[in-house]
Amino acid sequence: MDIRQKNMVILEIQTYLRELYKAGYAIPMITPDGIYGSLTEEAVRDFQRIEGLEESGAVDFNTWEKLVFTAEKYRAIYTPPEKISPYDTLLCDGGLSLGEASDLIYIIQIMLRALHIYDYSYIKVNGIFDSDTALALEDFGERNGTPTPNGKITKELWDALAIAYSQYILKNAGD
């Protein structure tokens, strides 16, 4: 293994150790630099002690396997979830016609109903762009400075709705 490959492996080890530190492991905080110095050795030794491995301070096969497995497990837990953006051509190309049905309209109806401050409880969550949904969108757009002409849900209206819904979710997450 040449020096460049060795430094890349050390950098990977240090990255895993840093992730475990951020996940709450009682190990020193590592700044990945590709150099296996005393702080990296100490972090490896602490990790080995915590995981019941031989405390050598060196990354052998067992330490490597446990380090990768544990870091990946915590990465899956602590990485923020992927965001979706369902705003699509159905909404931006010419708007919606009364009676149209789609999964995206379900999402819009759920978001509108959740916004209790506007009292859109009369909306049926059925995935159909009906007159109640159209009226609620028009009202929401007017209240938020993003009017919706002829059932067209502009990007600005969609963004305002998504932000209002996200704020509602964050505010009520502990309830």
Side-chain angles (χ1 to χ4, degrees):
M1 181 182 306
D2 70 13
I3 190 73
R4 185 168 177 253
Q5 290 172 319
K6 185 177 179 183
N7 288 352
M8 294 301 290
V9 170
I10 293 168
L11 194 63
E12 191 172 2
I13 290 167
Q14 292 171 327
T15 301
Y16 286 137
L17 289 167
R18 185 174 179 98
E19 288 179 15
L20 291 175
Y21 169 81
K22 291 195 292 187
Y25 264 64
I27 61 175
M29 184 179 77
I30 301 294
T31 300
D33 61 5
I35 301 169
Y36 202 94
S38 59
L39 194 59
T40 300
E41 184 178 337
E42 179 185 347
V44 169
R45 187 173 280 115
D46 289 345
F47 173 77
Q48 290 169 327
R49 179 183 39 75
I50 292 166
E51 294 297 330
L53 300 169
E54 180 184 338
E55 296 178 43
S56 65
V59 179
D60 59 11
F61 182 76
N62 290 335
T63 301
W64 174 256
E65 274 197 325
K66 190 68 171 178
L67 180 62
V68 171
F69 174 79
T70 306
E72 291 294 333
K73 178 178 81 175
Y74 281 100
R75 182 181 289 162
I77 294 169
Y78 291 106
T79 301
E82 293 294 325
K83 295 180 180 181
I84 62 167
S85 180
Y87 183 82
D88 68 4
T89 56
L90 173 68
L91 298 180
C92 62
D93 289 346
L96 299 169
S97 300
L98 285 179
E100 274 187 65
S102 81
D103 293 340
L104 193 52
I105 297 169
Y106 274 111
I107 294 170
I108 292 168
Q109 290 168 332
I110 288 168
M111 290 192 302
L112 286 167
R113 280 186 60 100
L115 301 175
H116 297 296
I117 60 170
Y118 299 120
D119 190 25
Y120 299 134
S121 59
Y122 58 89
I123 296 173
K124 293 181 188 89
V125 179
N126 57 12
I128 299 170
F129 189 65
D130 56 21
S131 58
D132 287 342
T133 304
L135 288 172
L137 277 171
E138 186 177 321
D139 179 68
F140 179 84
E142 287 174 8
R143 291 180 188 222
N144 288 278
T146 54
T148 175
N150 304 325
K152 184 172 183 179
I153 300 173
T154 63
K155 183 176 180 326
E156 292 78 19
L157 178 66
W158 173 264
D159 289 346
L161 183 58
I163 289 167
Y165 182 75
S166 294
Q167 290 172 344
Y168 166 80
I169 293 298
L170 287 174
K171 180 181 167 207
N172 296 293
D175 293 344

